[in-house]
Amino acid sequence: MMRGMYAGVSGLKTHQTRMDVIGNNIANVNTVAFKSSSVTFQDMLYQNLSGASGANAITGVGGVNAKQVGLGVTLGATNINITGAGAAETTGRGFDIRLTDSNSTNFFIVNNGSENVFTRSGSFYVDGAGNLAMTSTGYTVMGWQVDPVTGEIVKDTVSALRIMKPENMTSPPEATTDATMSGVIDKNDPDVSSDTGLVKNLNFYDKQGYSYTARFAIKKVDDNGNFTVELDSILDSNGKAIIDADKATNADLEKLFGTQKTQKVEYKLQKSFSVKQGKMYYTDNGGKEHELKYDNALQTYTYADGSPGSFSLKDVYGVSQDMLDRIDNGKTTVDPTFNGVTDTLVINDTRVALDLQFSAADGTFVGIGGGNNPSAILKLTDPVLFPNNNFEDITIDFSKTQNTNNGGKSTVSMDTGNVNDKSLGKGKKLGDLIGLFVDNNGKIFGSYDNGNTELLGQIAVAQFANASGLEKLGDNCYGTTLNSGDFDGIGLEVSADGSKMTSGELEMSNVDLSQEFTNMIVTQRGFQANSRIITTSDTMLEELVNLKR
């Protein structure tokens, strides 16, 4: 009788514990990534009234089972449903991240200031120090950093992801290396026939991200559909010419480039001169070609047949010896038997001109200066034109231009970028960080206003041999135990087993309210039944006491 009362008390206690667990589950029904728990009961020790006996073969009497009275119930275990994923909740916030498991249960690694702990709650933000952190506790999110040399992730011991550090706030500029000219050049366009020509601008960047404007003039050479594209000036972002070639002195050039000038300056034969099989020819106004020979002493060309007349360097190459002296203290020379291989540039004292030639039959572009190369290189390191060494050579592709009748209107335009891929060679200014995003592998990228996308770090995850063995620490965090397995300090990439991270979503609680309410009813009835044991035992004791009357 007394044993029955104590059994009833034990039943009340264990059912109360189960009710506490159910209450905690229901209370956390809206807690992000909460994992529900359940209770397992087990019976207590038994009091043996008599032991069991075996069968007696001699007397033929069978055995007798032991006579035992149980002493009640006790708590066997509390089990965490840690592998059961909660439903997805869409938030739209870039740093709300949901873990989707494939084969193993993954955990974010966060640091509370003294140790690494683990969580499924992916509600993160960037704190005042630039660290990725939990919105609820401020614990810093751990992951891998980017190698500054290779730009790749280094999967080493996890550390705090400080994604808003100073070096991540900007993206380096890029110098322009490619440009294109496309559209129609109509020889009847009055602008093309004018003295100033049809003016077109090309905006480009140097290595430091400063912007400049190259101003070109397209001019008609003749009625056969030949044109020149002349580089008239280079302007900085304030519209100021960065150097005046006519007024540049040796002192100016030395100040800008030093006394050791190694830039190769290339010159193009003027349109009346040509090279054939290593011989120089001059075409007169009547269209007749005359072979020339070079006088090295006088640095002039004369007629090979002895006819009177001569041609200076400026006549042939478009540059005077005076300009050569200004460029390189008189040390610059030109090849008198110019082979035409680098036949791309004409440098007159104040401008660079490129000869464009088109097919007379259909007006399509055939080359520059009679060559077959559909592009030309503007050497932006040429000291006569440019004031610093921060420029890259810019290859301008003219293959998309046409010389056709368009009603006297030219539609040609210039733009930076490779002719096959406009995103290549455009050049970029210094980029400011304008956005962050996380991909399915946990890699964090920064978006910059110059169009660049940079890898800033990667969120690592942890996996355990027995995830259910983790200890709940509160604050949506877990700690390792002897039965969970240890964390190696490095972690894993979430996609290693096919899992992924989804940005803009959170994992909801996996509490099943219908199941919890059912468990609550069963628990209530169990508690009620155990209370009846006590009241009934009390009545029996009362009857026993009343026997004395």
Side-chain angles (χ1 to χ4, degrees):
M1 190 161 48
M2 295 298 294
R3 287 191 295 266
M5 292 189 71
Y6 286 115
V9 171
S10 67
L12 292 177
K13 288 182 178 179
T14 52
H15 280 81
Q16 181 59 59
T17 301
R18 187 183 189 190
M19 191 64 207
D20 293 339
V21 172
I22 294 172
N24 184 61
N25 289 342
I26 295 175
N28 286 280
V29 68
N30 288 317
T31 300
V32 175
F34 177 80
K35 301 300 180 182
S36 63
S37 298
S38 60
V39 172
T40 301
F41 292 167
Q42 67 181 21
D43 53 356
M44 295 176 65
L45 293 175
Y46 284 80
Q47 181 178 359
N48 288 336
L49 300 180
S50 64
S53 63
N56 191 323
I58 298 175
T59 62
V61 177
V64 177
N65 292 331
K67 299 178 178 63
Q68 294 180 298
V69 177
L71 300 179
V73 64
T74 188
L75 184 66
T78 56
N79 302 310
I80 304 174
N81 183 17
I82 205 162
T83 59
E89 176 185 2
T90 302
T91 65
R93 294 182 65 251
F95 281 126
D96 282 347
I97 303 172
R98 179 172 64 90
L99 289 170
T100 302
D101 301 323
S102 178
N103 297 315
S104 301
T105 303
N106 296 281
F107 295 85
F108 296 110
I109 308 160
V110 295
N111 191 279
N112 61 10
S114 60
E115 63 177 345
N116 290 330
V117 293
F118 312 95
T119 184
R120 294 277 300 183
S121 175
S123 178
F124 303 139
Y125 81 114
V126 179
D127 67 12
N131 295 309
L132 190 63
M134 293 181 67
T135 56
S136 57
T137 61
Y139 295 171
T140 54
V141 180
M142 310 295 281
W144 301 310
Q145 309 299 328
V146 176
D147 188 321
V149 177
T150 64
E152 300 296 328
I153 293 293
V154 179
K155 295 181 180 179
D156 202 347
T157 302
V158 293
S159 57
L161 290 170
R162 190 184 177 198
I163 57 179
M164 296 288 280
K165 53 189 175 183
E167 54 265 39
N168 290 345
M169 300 306 295
T170 58
S171 180
E174 297 177 12
T176 300
T177 58
D178 289 276
T180 59
M181 176 181 282
S182 59
V184 174
I185 303 176
D186 191 326
K187 66 180 181 181
N188 296 320
D189 187 336
D191 289 332
V192 174
S193 302
S194 66
D195 292 337
T196 57
L198 176 62
V199 177
K200 294 294 176 181
N201 290 338
L202 177 67
N203 299 317
F204 65 95
Y205 294 95
D206 68 5
K207 296 176 183 177
Q208 294 181 333
Y210 291 105
S211 63
Y212 296 86
T213 300
R215 182 168 293 172
F216 294 88
I218 303 172
K219 298 181 179 180
K220 184 172 72 173
V221 175
D222 51 40
D223 289 331
N224 294 324
N226 293 319
F227 301 85
T228 61
V229 179
E230 299 180 355
L231 176 61
D232 282 340
S233 61
I234 301 290
L235 308 177
D236 62 17
S237 58
N238 296 317
K240 179 181 178 181
I242 58 178
I243 193 168
D244 186 342
D246 284 335
K247 299 179 181 178
T249 65
N250 282 331
D252 294 330
L253 298 173
E254 288 177 8
K255 182 178 179 181
L256 294 170
F257 300 99
T259 57
Q260 301 298 322
K261 305 177 183 65
T262 59
Q263 293 88 350
K264 182 179 180 181
V265 182
E266 298 176 350
Y267 304 99
K268 182 187 183 304
L269 299 176
Q270 298 287 52
K271 62 183 179 181
S272 298
F273 300 88
S274 60
V275 175
K276 297 180 181 179
Q277 297 179 347
K279 295 181 180 180
M280 180 79 72
Y281 292 88
Y282 167 70
T283 302
D284 60 23
N285 292 333
K288 182 178 180 180
E289 284 188 340
H290 304 272
E291 183 182 349
L292 302 177
K293 65 179 181 179
Y294 183 69
D295 188 321
N296 190 59
L298 298 177
Q299 295 186 340
T300 58
Y301 293 86
T302 58
Y303 290 105
D305 59 6
S307 300
S310 63
F311 304 91
S312 67
L313 288 174
K314 183 174 183 179
D315 294 327
V316 177
Y317 292 101
V319 63
S320 64
Q321 186 62 50
D322 174 64
M323 179 55 70
L324 295 176
D325 291 341
R326 291 168 59 190
I327 292 175
D328 201 14
N329 298 323
K331 298 178 182 179
T332 300
T333 59
V334 294
D335 182 1
T337 59
F338 193 91
N339 61 22
V341 173
T342 55
D343 187 4
T344 56
L345 293 181
V346 175
I347 298 185
N348 296 320
D349 285 1
T350 61
R351 66 180 181 274
V352 176
L354 302 167
D355 285 345
L356 300 185
Q357 292 193 355
F358 297 86
S359 167
D362 58 10
T364 57
F365 178 78
V366 294
I368 299 170
N372 294 318
N373 185 359
S375 62
I377 297 176
L378 300 181
K379 289 196 169 298
L380 299 185
T381 54
D382 186 280
V384 175
L385 298 176
F386 302 99
N388 63 52
N389 286 319
N390 290 321
F391 297 102
E392 292 282 3
D393 293 348
I394 298 180
T395 299
I396 301 181
D397 194 306
F398 296 93
S399 61
K400 300 301 182 181
T401 55
Q402 297 184 64
N403 173 24
T404 57
N405 181 12
N406 193 39
K409 182 178 180 181
S410 298
T411 62
V412 69
S413 62
M414 302 186 74
D415 192 15
T416 53
N418 187 275
V419 68
N420 297 315
D421 186 345
K422 298 295 290 183
S423 65
L424 299 178
K426 286 185 67 68
K428 298 174 181 179
K429 67 175 183 177
L430 181 69
D432 292 324
L433 184 65
I434 57 174
L436 298 165
F437 66 93
V438 182
D439 72 1
N440 289 344
N441 293 325
K443 291 182 178 179
I444 305 172
F445 293 90
S447 299
Y448 298 84
D449 62 3
N450 65 352
N452 282 352
T453 299
E454 304 283 349
L455 179 60
L456 307 182
Q458 184 172 6
I459 302 172
V461 297
Q463 295 179 359
F464 298 92
N466 175 27
S468 297
L470 293 170
E471 177 186 7
K472 283 190 174 183
L473 303 176
D475 297 326
N476 274 351
C477 293
Y478 300 85
T480 58
T481 66
L482 294 176
N483 199 37
S484 66
D486 291 328
F487 172 58
D488 64 2
I490 298 176
L492 299 168
E493 185 171 342
V494 70
S495 60
D497 67 346
S499 302
K500 66 178 182 179
M501 297 183 189
T502 304
S503 179
E505 295 181 359
L506 290 175
E507 180 182 1
M508 299 174 66
S509 169
N510 69 351
V511 173
D512 184 347
L513 280 179
S514 62
Q515 183 65 49
E516 297 300 327
F517 286 152
T518 301
N519 291 340
M520 187 162 54
I521 293 172
V522 173
T523 303
Q524 179 186 12
R525 293 308 181 192
F527 187 91
Q528 188 178 37
N530 279 273
S531 67
R532 291 296 182 267
I533 295 174
I534 297 174
T535 57
T536 302
S537 296
D538 178 59
T539 302
M540 293 174 68
L541 284 174
E542 183 180 3
E543 290 296 328
L544 179 62
V545 171
N546 288 337
L547 288 177
K548 184 181 178 182
R549 294 180 180 176

